[in-house]
mmCIF file of all heavy atoms in Angstrom:
data_model
loop_
_atom_site.group_PDB
_atom_site.id
_atom_site.type_symbol
_atom_site.label_atom_id
_atom_site.label_comp_id
_atom_site.label_asym_id
_atom_site.label_seq_id
_atom_site.Cartn_x
_atom_site.Cartn_y
_atom_site.Cartn_z
ATOM 1 N N PRO A 1 3.737 108.178 -70.485
ATOM 2 C CA PRO A 1 2.626 108.988 -70.980
ATOM 3 C C PRO A 1 2.812 110.473 -70.651
ATOM 4 O O PRO A 1 2.319 111.335 -71.368
ATOM 5 C CB PRO A 1 1.397 108.425 -70.275
ATOM 6 C CG PRO A 1 1.844 107.319 -69.424
ATOM 7 C CD PRO A 1 3.312 107.147 -69.558
ATOM 8 N N ALA A 2 3.546 110.774 -69.602
ATOM 9 C CA ALA A 2 3.816 112.172 -69.260
ATOM 10 C C ALA A 2 4.724 112.804 -70.307
ATOM 11 O O ALA A 2 4.507 113.940 -70.728
ATOM 12 C CB ALA A 2 4.449 112.257 -67.878
ATOM 13 N N ILE A 3 5.739 112.073 -70.750
ATOM 14 C CA ILE A 3 6.641 112.593 -71.782
ATOM 15 C C ILE A 3 5.908 112.699 -73.110
ATOM 16 O O ILE A 3 6.074 113.673 -73.844
ATOM 17 C CB ILE A 3 7.905 111.726 -71.889
ATOM 18 C CG1 ILE A 3 8.731 111.868 -70.602
ATOM 19 C CG2 ILE A 3 8.733 112.105 -73.109
ATOM 20 C CD1 ILE A 3 9.940 110.972 -70.520
ATOM 21 N N THR A 4 5.050 111.729 -73.408
ATOM 22 C CA THR A 4 4.235 111.796 -74.623
ATOM 23 C C THR A 4 3.325 113.016 -74.579
ATOM 24 O O THR A 4 3.172 113.728 -75.583
ATOM 25 C CB THR A 4 3.403 110.514 -74.779
ATOM 26 O OG1 THR A 4 4.291 109.389 -74.851
ATOM 27 C CG2 THR A 4 2.543 110.554 -76.025
ATOM 28 N N ALA A 5 2.728 113.284 -73.417
ATOM 29 C CA ALA A 5 1.861 114.466 -73.269
ATOM 30 C C ALA A 5 2.649 115.749 -73.484
ATOM 31 O O ALA A 5 2.160 116.689 -74.122
ATOM 32 C CB ALA A 5 1.218 114.462 -71.885
ATOM 33 N N LEU A 6 3.862 115.778 -72.975
ATOM 34 C CA LEU A 6 4.705 116.952 -73.161
ATOM 35 C C LEU A 6 5.075 117.132 -74.634
ATOM 36 O O LEU A 6 5.044 118.241 -75.167
ATOM 37 C CB LEU A 6 5.952 116.837 -72.295
ATOM 38 C CG LEU A 6 6.845 118.049 -72.208
ATOM 39 C CD1 LEU A 6 6.084 119.269 -71.721
ATOM 40 C CD2 LEU A 6 8.016 117.763 -71.279
ATOM 41 N N GLU A 7 5.418 116.046 -75.309
ATOM 42 C CA GLU A 7 5.696 116.113 -76.749
ATOM 43 C C GLU A 7 4.483 116.636 -77.508
ATOM 44 O O GLU A 7 4.609 117.480 -78.393
ATOM 45 C CB GLU A 7 6.078 114.739 -77.289
ATOM 46 C CG GLU A 7 7.427 114.250 -76.872
ATOM 47 C CD GLU A 7 7.689 112.818 -77.326
ATOM 48 O OE1 GLU A 7 6.738 112.137 -77.791
ATOM 49 O OE2 GLU A 7 8.828 112.371 -77.205
ATOM 50 N N ASP A 8 3.296 116.129 -77.159
ATOM 51 C CA ASP A 8 2.071 116.579 -77.818
ATOM 52 C C ASP A 8 1.828 118.062 -77.566
ATOM 53 O O ASP A 8 1.400 118.794 -78.466
ATOM 54 C CB ASP A 8 0.868 115.766 -77.343
ATOM 55 C CG ASP A 8 0.906 114.328 -77.814
ATOM 56 O OD1 ASP A 8 1.717 114.009 -78.719
ATOM 57 O OD2 ASP A 8 0.133 113.513 -77.268
ATOM 58 N N ALA A 9 2.109 118.510 -76.349
ATOM 59 C CA ALA A 9 1.939 119.934 -76.030
ATOM 60 C C ALA A 9 2.918 120.778 -76.833
ATOM 61 O O ALA A 9 2.590 121.889 -77.252
ATOM 62 C CB ALA A 9 2.126 120.167 -74.535
ATOM 63 N N LEU A 10 4.110 120.256 -77.087
ATOM 64 C CA LEU A 10 5.077 120.979 -77.901
ATOM 65 C C LEU A 10 4.632 121.031 -79.361
ATOM 66 O O LEU A 10 4.767 122.051 -80.031
ATOM 67 C CB LEU A 10 6.457 120.337 -77.798
ATOM 68 C CG LEU A 10 7.180 120.521 -76.470
ATOM 69 C CD1 LEU A 10 8.416 119.640 -76.422
ATOM 70 C CD2 LEU A 10 7.551 121.976 -76.270
ATOM 71 N N TRP A 11 4.110 119.923 -79.875
ATOM 72 C CA TRP A 11 3.723 119.857 -81.282
ATOM 73 C C TRP A 11 2.442 120.625 -81.575
ATOM 74 O O TRP A 11 2.361 121.344 -82.557
ATOM 75 C CB TRP A 11 3.544 118.406 -81.731
ATOM 76 C CG TRP A 11 4.828 117.707 -81.984
ATOM 77 C CD1 TRP A 11 5.451 116.819 -81.161
ATOM 78 C CD2 TRP A 11 5.694 117.864 -83.118
ATOM 79 N NE1 TRP A 11 6.643 116.406 -81.720
ATOM 80 C CE2 TRP A 11 6.810 117.038 -82.917
ATOM 81 C CE3 TRP A 11 5.621 118.626 -84.275
ATOM 82 C CZ2 TRP A 11 7.840 116.945 -83.840
ATOM 83 C CZ3 TRP A 11 6.659 118.531 -85.190
ATOM 84 C CH2 TRP A 11 7.749 117.699 -84.967
ATOM 85 N N ALA A 12 1.422 120.453 -80.746
ATOM 86 C CA ALA A 12 0.105 121.023 -81.067
ATOM 87 C C ALA A 12 -0.428 121.936 -79.978
ATOM 88 O O ALA A 12 -1.559 122.376 -80.049
ATOM 89 C CB ALA A 12 -0.887 119.891 -81.310
ATOM 90 N N GLY A 13 0.384 122.215 -78.991
ATOM 91 C CA GLY A 13 -0.089 122.979 -77.844
ATOM 92 C C GLY A 13 -0.566 124.380 -78.154
ATOM 93 O O GLY A 13 -1.563 124.834 -77.610
ATOM 94 N N ARG A 14 0.127 125.077 -79.041
ATOM 95 C CA ARG A 14 -0.288 126.455 -79.337
ATOM 96 C C ARG A 14 -1.686 126.492 -79.920
ATOM 97 O O ARG A 14 -2.441 127.413 -79.667
ATOM 98 C CB ARG A 14 0.718 127.125 -80.263
ATOM 99 C CG ARG A 14 2.012 127.451 -79.553
ATOM 100 C CD ARG A 14 2.949 128.178 -80.477
ATOM 101 N NE ARG A 14 3.252 127.355 -81.640
ATOM 102 C CZ ARG A 14 4.455 126.953 -81.984
ATOM 103 N NH1 ARG A 14 5.484 127.298 -81.276
ATOM 104 N NH2 ARG A 14 4.643 126.209 -83.033
ATOM 105 N N ALA A 15 -2.056 125.494 -80.713
ATOM 106 C CA ALA A 15 -3.407 125.448 -81.280
ATOM 107 C C ALA A 15 -4.450 125.290 -80.178
ATOM 108 O O ALA A 15 -5.578 125.739 -80.319
ATOM 109 C CB ALA A 15 -3.517 124.311 -82.283
ATOM 110 N N ALA A 16 -4.059 124.664 -79.066
ATOM 111 C CA ALA A 16 -4.968 124.463 -77.932
ATOM 112 C C ALA A 16 -4.755 125.513 -76.847
ATOM 113 O O ALA A 16 -5.280 125.383 -75.755
ATOM 114 C CB ALA A 16 -4.768 123.067 -77.350
ATOM 115 N N ARG A 17 -3.944 126.523 -77.162
ATOM 116 C CA ARG A 17 -3.605 127.587 -76.207
ATOM 117 C C ARG A 17 -2.850 127.034 -74.996
ATOM 118 O O ARG A 17 -3.064 127.431 -73.871
ATOM 119 C CB ARG A 17 -4.844 128.375 -75.802
ATOM 120 C CG ARG A 17 -5.450 129.107 -76.995
ATOM 121 C CD ARG A 17 -6.710 129.849 -76.673
ATOM 122 N NE ARG A 17 -6.563 130.900 -75.701
ATOM 123 C CZ ARG A 17 -6.355 132.185 -75.978
ATOM 124 N NH1 ARG A 17 -6.249 132.569 -77.224
ATOM 125 N NH2 ARG A 17 -6.266 133.082 -75.018
ATOM 126 N N VAL A 18 -1.955 126.088 -75.274
ATOM 127 C CA VAL A 18 -1.067 125.508 -74.266
ATOM 128 C C VAL A 18 0.357 125.853 -74.689
ATOM 129 O O VAL A 18 0.762 125.560 -75.815
ATOM 130 C CB VAL A 18 -1.232 123.976 -74.160
ATOM 131 C CG1 VAL A 18 -0.232 123.385 -73.183
ATOM 132 C CG2 VAL A 18 -2.653 123.614 -73.760
ATOM 133 N N HIS A 19 1.119 126.467 -73.783
ATOM 134 C CA HIS A 19 2.474 126.912 -74.096
ATOM 135 C C HIS A 19 3.443 126.299 -73.095
ATOM 136 O O HIS A 19 3.143 126.207 -71.911
ATOM 137 C CB HIS A 19 2.548 128.436 -74.063
ATOM 138 C CG HIS A 19 1.510 129.067 -74.939
ATOM 139 N ND1 HIS A 19 1.693 129.248 -76.285
ATOM 140 C CD2 HIS A 19 0.259 129.514 -74.664
ATOM 141 C CE1 HIS A 19 0.613 129.796 -76.803
ATOM 142 N NE2 HIS A 19 -0.270 129.966 -75.840
ATOM 143 N N VAL A 20 4.600 125.879 -73.577
ATOM 144 C CA VAL A 20 5.583 125.195 -72.749
ATOM 145 C C VAL A 20 6.836 126.057 -72.639
ATOM 146 O O VAL A 20 7.353 126.542 -73.640
ATOM 147 C CB VAL A 20 5.945 123.813 -73.343
ATOM 148 C CG1 VAL A 20 6.988 123.109 -72.489
ATOM 149 C CG2 VAL A 20 4.694 122.950 -73.488
ATOM 150 N N ILE A 21 7.314 126.213 -71.403
ATOM 151 C CA ILE A 21 8.556 126.932 -71.130
ATOM 152 C C ILE A 21 9.497 125.955 -70.438
ATOM 153 O O ILE A 21 9.131 125.356 -69.431
ATOM 154 C CB ILE A 21 8.311 128.156 -70.218
ATOM 155 C CG1 ILE A 21 7.356 129.132 -70.904
ATOM 156 C CG2 ILE A 21 9.627 128.829 -69.864
ATOM 157 C CD1 ILE A 21 6.907 130.255 -70.005
ATOM 158 N N PHE A 22 10.689 125.795 -70.996
ATOM 159 C CA PHE A 22 11.700 124.909 -70.426
ATOM 160 C C PHE A 22 12.794 125.726 -69.787
ATOM 161 O O PHE A 22 13.248 126.708 -70.366
ATOM 162 C CB PHE A 22 12.342 124.055 -71.525
ATOM 163 C CG PHE A 22 11.684 122.737 -71.758
ATOM 164 C CD1 PHE A 22 10.400 122.676 -72.247
ATOM 165 C CD2 PHE A 22 12.351 121.565 -71.517
ATOM 166 C CE1 PHE A 22 9.791 121.468 -72.481
ATOM 167 C CE2 PHE A 22 11.763 120.351 -71.756
ATOM 168 C CZ PHE A 22 10.475 120.300 -72.236
ATOM 169 N N ASP A 23 13.246 125.288 -68.637
ATOM 170 C CA ASP A 23 14.450 125.846 -68.023
ATOM 171 C C ASP A 23 15.567 124.862 -68.335
ATOM 172 O O ASP A 23 15.639 123.785 -67.756
ATOM 173 C CB ASP A 23 14.275 125.991 -66.513
ATOM 174 C CG ASP A 23 15.553 126.428 -65.817
ATOM 175 O OD1 ASP A 23 16.425 127.013 -66.484
ATOM 176 O OD2 ASP A 23 15.684 126.161 -64.614
ATOM 177 N N GLY A 24 16.385 125.215 -69.268
ATOM 178 C CA GLY A 24 17.456 124.322 -69.690
ATOM 179 C C GLY A 24 17.159 123.769 -71.063
ATOM 180 O O GLY A 24 16.076 123.910 -71.600
ATOM 181 N N ARG A 25 18.160 123.150 -71.628
ATOM 182 C CA ARG A 25 18.026 122.575 -72.957
ATOM 183 C C ARG A 25 17.372 121.211 -72.841
ATOM 184 O O ARG A 25 17.870 120.343 -72.126
ATOM 185 C CB ARG A 25 19.413 122.450 -73.571
ATOM 186 C CG ARG A 25 19.379 122.265 -75.053
ATOM 187 C CD ARG A 25 20.773 122.442 -75.603
ATOM 188 N NE ARG A 25 21.189 121.173 -76.142
ATOM 189 C CZ ARG A 25 22.450 120.864 -76.358
ATOM 190 N NH1 ARG A 25 23.405 121.685 -76.066
ATOM 191 N NH2 ARG A 25 22.745 119.705 -76.863
ATOM 192 N N PRO A 26 16.244 120.967 -73.517
ATOM 193 C CA PRO A 26 15.581 119.670 -73.383
ATOM 194 C C PRO A 26 16.426 118.535 -73.938
ATOM 195 O O PRO A 26 17.057 118.683 -74.971
ATOM 196 C CB PRO A 26 14.289 119.835 -74.180
ATOM 197 C CG PRO A 26 14.557 120.962 -75.101
ATOM 198 C CD PRO A 26 15.571 121.844 -74.443
ATOM 199 N N HIS A 27 16.452 117.446 -73.237
ATOM 200 C CA HIS A 27 17.224 116.270 -73.624
ATOM 201 C C HIS A 27 16.564 115.622 -74.834
ATOM 202 O O HIS A 27 15.412 115.225 -74.787
ATOM 203 C CB HIS A 27 17.276 115.294 -72.448
ATOM 204 C CG HIS A 27 18.267 114.206 -72.646
ATOM 205 N ND1 HIS A 27 17.968 113.058 -73.319
ATOM 206 C CD2 HIS A 27 19.554 114.107 -72.266
ATOM 207 C CE1 HIS A 27 19.036 112.278 -73.343
ATOM 208 N NE2 HIS A 27 20.004 112.883 -72.714
ATOM 209 N N THR A 28 17.298 115.526 -75.911
ATOM 210 C CA THR A 28 16.748 115.035 -77.166
ATOM 211 C C THR A 28 16.237 113.605 -77.052
ATOM 212 O O THR A 28 15.192 113.280 -77.596
ATOM 213 C CB THR A 28 17.823 115.095 -78.270
ATOM 214 O OG1 THR A 28 18.535 116.306 -78.145
ATOM 215 C CG2 THR A 28 17.213 115.044 -79.634
ATOM 216 N N ALA A 29 16.942 112.746 -76.348
ATOM 217 C CA ALA A 29 16.532 111.345 -76.256
ATOM 218 C C ALA A 29 15.185 111.203 -75.565
ATOM 219 O O ALA A 29 14.387 110.341 -75.918
ATOM 220 C CB ALA A 29 17.586 110.542 -75.511
ATOM 221 N N ALA A 30 14.899 112.053 -74.598
ATOM 222 C CA ALA A 30 13.630 111.969 -73.883
ATOM 223 C C ALA A 30 12.479 112.518 -74.713
ATOM 224 O O ALA A 30 11.340 112.126 -74.530
ATOM 225 C CB ALA A 30 13.719 112.716 -72.560
ATOM 226 N N LEU A 31 12.760 113.422 -75.616
ATOM 227 C CA LEU A 31 11.711 114.016 -76.449
ATOM 228 C C LEU A 31 11.765 113.450 -77.862
ATOM 229 O O LEU A 31 12.167 114.104 -78.802
ATOM 230 C CB LEU A 31 11.860 115.545 -76.499
ATOM 231 C CG LEU A 31 11.544 116.271 -75.221
ATOM 232 C CD1 LEU A 31 11.833 117.757 -75.371
ATOM 233 C CD2 LEU A 31 10.095 116.068 -74.824
ATOM 234 N N GLY A 32 11.369 112.232 -78.005
ATOM 235 C CA GLY A 32 11.248 111.642 -79.325
ATOM 236 C C GLY A 32 12.520 111.086 -79.924
ATOM 237 O O GLY A 32 12.479 110.478 -80.973
ATOM 238 N N GLY A 33 13.667 111.316 -79.297
ATOM 239 C CA GLY A 33 14.903 110.723 -79.767
ATOM 240 C C GLY A 33 15.559 111.413 -80.951
ATOM 241 O O GLY A 33 16.573 110.967 -81.432
ATOM 242 N N THR A 34 14.974 112.507 -81.447
ATOM 243 C CA THR A 34 15.593 113.234 -82.550
ATOM 244 C C THR A 34 15.703 114.706 -82.186
ATOM 245 O O THR A 34 15.153 115.152 -81.188
ATOM 246 C CB THR A 34 14.756 113.123 -83.845
ATOM 247 O OG1 THR A 34 13.519 113.811 -83.637
ATOM 248 C CG2 THR A 34 14.485 111.687 -84.218
ATOM 249 N N SER A 35 16.375 115.452 -83.004
ATOM 250 C CA SER A 35 16.506 116.882 -82.745
ATOM 251 C C SER A 35 15.262 117.650 -83.158
ATOM 252 O O SER A 35 15.199 118.856 -82.990
ATOM 253 C CB SER A 35 17.733 117.435 -83.465
ATOM 254 O OG SER A 35 17.564 117.287 -84.859
ATOM 255 N N ALA A 36 14.242 116.977 -83.698
ATOM 256 C CA ALA A 36 13.021 117.653 -84.131
ATOM 257 C C ALA A 36 12.344 118.385 -82.977
ATOM 258 O O ALA A 36 11.732 119.424 -83.177
ATOM 259 C CB ALA A 36 12.058 116.653 -84.754
ATOM 260 N N ALA A 37 12.469 117.852 -81.775
ATOM 261 C CA ALA A 37 11.844 118.501 -80.617
ATOM 262 C C ALA A 37 12.424 119.886 -80.388
ATOM 263 O O ALA A 37 11.713 120.808 -79.979
ATOM 264 C CB ALA A 37 12.028 117.646 -79.376
ATOM 265 N N HIS A 38 13.704 120.077 -80.675
ATOM 266 C CA HIS A 38 14.330 121.386 -80.495
ATOM 267 C C HIS A 38 13.717 122.426 -81.423
ATOM 268 O O HIS A 38 13.682 123.594 -81.105
ATOM 269 C CB HIS A 38 15.838 121.308 -80.733
ATOM 270 C CG HIS A 38 16.551 120.525 -79.689
ATOM 271 N ND1 HIS A 38 16.742 120.990 -78.411
ATOM 272 C CD2 HIS A 38 17.099 119.293 -79.728
ATOM 273 C CE1 HIS A 38 17.391 120.083 -77.712
ATOM 274 N NE2 HIS A 38 17.619 119.039 -78.487
ATOM 275 N N GLU A 39 13.243 121.986 -82.577
ATOM 276 C CA GLU A 39 12.675 122.912 -83.544
ATOM 277 C C GLU A 39 11.316 123.437 -83.115
ATOM 278 O O GLU A 39 10.799 124.377 -83.707
ATOM 279 C CB GLU A 39 12.581 122.234 -84.905
ATOM 280 C CG GLU A 39 13.938 121.877 -85.467
ATOM 281 C CD GLU A 39 13.838 121.076 -86.745
ATOM 282 O OE1 GLU A 39 12.735 120.981 -87.307
ATOM 283 O OE2 GLU A 39 14.867 120.540 -87.180
ATOM 284 N N LEU A 40 10.729 122.863 -82.095
ATOM 285 C CA LEU A 40 9.407 123.279 -81.648
ATOM 286 C C LEU A 40 9.447 124.510 -80.756
ATOM 287 O O LEU A 40 8.415 125.084 -80.456
ATOM 288 C CB LEU A 40 8.730 122.128 -80.903
ATOM 289 C CG LEU A 40 8.537 120.884 -81.752
ATOM 290 C CD1 LEU A 40 8.017 119.749 -80.896
ATOM 291 C CD2 LEU A 40 7.584 121.170 -82.882
ATOM 292 N N PHE A 41 10.614 124.905 -80.333
ATOM 293 C CA PHE A 41 10.734 126.075 -79.476
ATOM 294 C C PHE A 41 10.886 127.307 -80.349
ATOM 295 O O PHE A 41 11.857 127.450 -81.079
ATOM 296 C CB PHE A 41 11.919 125.921 -78.520
ATOM 297 C CG PHE A 41 11.689 124.846 -77.505
ATOM 298 C CD1 PHE A 41 12.136 123.553 -77.734
ATOM 299 C CD2 PHE A 41 10.996 125.117 -76.342
ATOM 300 C CE1 PHE A 41 11.904 122.554 -76.811
ATOM 301 C CE2 PHE A 41 10.760 124.121 -75.419
ATOM 302 C CZ PHE A 41 11.210 122.838 -75.656
ATOM 303 N N ALA A 42 9.904 128.212 -80.260
ATOM 304 C CA ALA A 42 9.910 129.405 -81.097
ATOM 305 C C ALA A 42 10.969 130.396 -80.646
ATOM 306 O O ALA A 42 11.546 131.110 -81.451
ATOM 307 C CB ALA A 42 8.535 130.060 -81.077
ATOM 308 N N THR A 43 11.225 130.456 -79.349
ATOM 309 C CA THR A 43 12.171 131.426 -78.808
ATOM 310 C C THR A 43 13.122 130.715 -77.868
ATOM 311 O O THR A 43 12.696 129.927 -77.028
ATOM 312 C CB THR A 43 11.434 132.532 -78.027
ATOM 313 O OG1 THR A 43 10.482 133.136 -78.898
ATOM 314 C CG2 THR A 43 12.388 133.575 -77.512
ATOM 315 N N VAL A 44 14.395 131.001 -78.016
ATOM 316 C CA VAL A 44 15.406 130.456 -77.116
ATOM 317 C C VAL A 44 16.118 131.641 -76.488
ATOM 318 O O VAL A 44 16.607 132.523 -77.186
ATOM 319 C CB VAL A 44 16.424 129.567 -77.879
ATOM 320 C CG1 VAL A 44 17.510 129.068 -76.942
ATOM 321 C CG2 VAL A 44 15.709 128.416 -78.557
#
């Protein structure tokens, strides 16, 4: 549920004024299993 919460924060967090900063490249398998999670980062 923690990883699901993080995915939700990545997908809809800005609408709720929640912003996520990662140190390092997020592991694709842990974030939904596809590269779609990488597309959620506005700035790299």
Side-chain angles (χ1 to χ4, degrees):
I3 293 175
T4 301
L6 188 56
E7 288 174 349
D8 291 346
L10 289 170
W11 282 102
R14 288 183 300 240
R17 296 177 62 94
V18 176
H19 307 276
V20 179
I21 299 172
F22 268 66
D23 174 22
R25 197 168 115 200
H27 192 274
T28 318
L31 290 176
T34 67
S35 63
H38 292 288
E39 296 174 11
L40 300 173
F41 292 94
T43 304
V44 177

